[in-house]
Amino acid sequence: MKLSLNVNGDPLEIEAKVNARLLDVLRREGYFGVKHGCDDGTCGACAVLIAPDANSPGKVVNSCMLLAAQVEGMFITTIEGLGGVQQHGWKGTEPLHALQQAFVETGAIQCGYCTPAQILAAKALLDREPNPTEAQVRDALAGVLCRCTGYVKPVEAVLEAASILRGDRRPLAGDLSLPAFDFQSPIPNIQSPNEGEPLIQTRVLPKLVVTPAQTETHIVGKPEVKVDAVKLAQGKPAFTDDIELRGMLH
Ligand code: FES
Ligand code: FES
């Protein structure tokens, strides 16, 4: 059957079997950012955003659980649709979307298999709630299983991206400075509850351990962006299942 879809803003006219799943159709068309994980709706790696029109916010759906025919005429967003000028599923180009950038910079990407789906789930959240709580972020990411990160960094990345998109960039953990402890201030004059009794005042000082001066290094001891983080955040072909030379017979 003939199908008309809109993927990342581009109209797509395709020929597909009646029972073709959206996941398979998108990957066949080169959108390898849509990952093939479990086939039964459990892992969320195949998530895309679906909207009835170009102006409505997308809803997260697992593309392995939908027939392509069910989304005829709808607007589909894959990871290739985020960020700068994207070239039809194969070569995303910078600049990155704030979410992609935050995932790269906070170290939220390990193997990267779940990353496109996590970023899309986060985008759906930020489109409807620009100032989410940590609990809302965790809830939004809960449908995408991640074996690697433990979710700490992805949650941090989403909160960071949200603040950048709102224009009130919150400080990262490394930027936080603790209030200085004033060792010289007088101890408050506290009266004993029993008149005439002596009041014993004590102050427990924290033990300070000063790290000996280190020679400045260029790489060691400094955060580094993962070498393939940008590629993974854009959903570019990176895994064995994604390697397909256009036009090959098998
Ligand atoms: Fe796992 Fe679709 S492939 S939910
Ligand atoms: Fe590896 Fe999430 S599954 S980064």
Side-chain angles (χ1 to χ4, degrees):
M1 64 186 293
K2 282 197 187 310
L3 283 179
S4 303
L5 308 173
N6 186 298
V7 184
N8 300 332
D10 295 330
L12 186 66
E13 304 289 330
I14 53 167
E15 194 67 49
K17 289 187 181 163
V18 180
N19 61 352
R21 298 179 308 171
L22 180 60
L23 166 65
D24 301 319
V25 165
L26 288 172
R27 288 185 63 85
R28 189 188 75 194
E29 295 299 316
Y31 298 98
F32 288 113
V34 188
K35 298 301 179 199
H36 182 191
C38 63
D39 258 354
D40 64 10
T42 307
C43 74
C46 63
V48 295
L49 305 183
I50 306 271
D53 55 67
N55 300 319
S56 300
K59 278 183 69 172
V60 188
V61 296
N62 289 336
S63 59
C64 71
M65 301 303 288
L66 274 181
L67 298 178
Q70 289 178 285
V71 293
E72 160 98 67
M74 294 189 134
F75 285 70
I76 300 162
T77 304
T78 71
I79 192 71
E80 289 89 352
L82 267 63
V85 183
Q86 305 289 325
Q87 297 170 17
H88 195 61
W90 286 84
K91 299 187 191 103
T93 52
E94 296 181 45
L96 301 176
H97 185 278
L99 275 163
Q100 292 169 312
Q101 192 68 41
F103 267 67
V104 168
E105 286 180 2
T106 57
I109 303 171
Q110 291 192 23
C111 81
Y113 205 77
C114 69
T115 302
Q118 281 197 339
I119 291 175
L120 289 173
K123 181 175 186 310
L125 169 67
L126 298 190
D127 284 349
R128 65 175 192 276
E129 175 52 74
N131 192 9
T133 62
E134 180 182 331
Q136 287 174 310
V137 174
R138 288 188 176 277
D139 188 52
L141 298 184
V144 183
L145 299 187
C146 177
R147 304 164 298 174
C148 310
T149 63
Y151 293 90
V152 173
K153 291 292 178 182
V155 170
E156 188 182 324
V158 177
L159 292 172
E160 172 71 3
S163 65
I164 290 170
L165 289 169
R166 289 193 310 269
D168 61 342
R169 197 174 201 276
R170 74 190 181 96
L172 284 172
D175 301 337
L176 295 175
S177 56
L178 296 173
F181 188 85
D182 183 2
F183 295 102
Q184 306 301 328
S185 65
I187 298 172
N189 186 14
I190 305 167
Q191 296 299 320
S192 168
N194 302 319
E195 203 174 331
E197 280 188 11
L199 178 69
I200 300 171
Q201 292 184 336
T202 59
R203 170 181 278 172
V204 180
L205 296 179
K207 184 180 175 191
L208 298 182
V209 179
V210 180
T211 323
Q214 301 287 332
T215 320
E216 183 80 354
T217 56
H218 291 299
I219 304 285
V220 177
K222 299 201 169 126
E224 266 294 306
V225 168
K226 191 172 180 286
V227 68
D228 54 354
V230 171
K231 166 178 164 173
L232 292 168
Q234 291 179 311
K236 288 187 187 178
F239 302 93
T240 312
D241 198 28
D242 303 337
I243 296 170
E244 176 205 311
L245 305 178
R246 296 265 100 174
M248 69 186 183
L249 290 178
H250 178 72

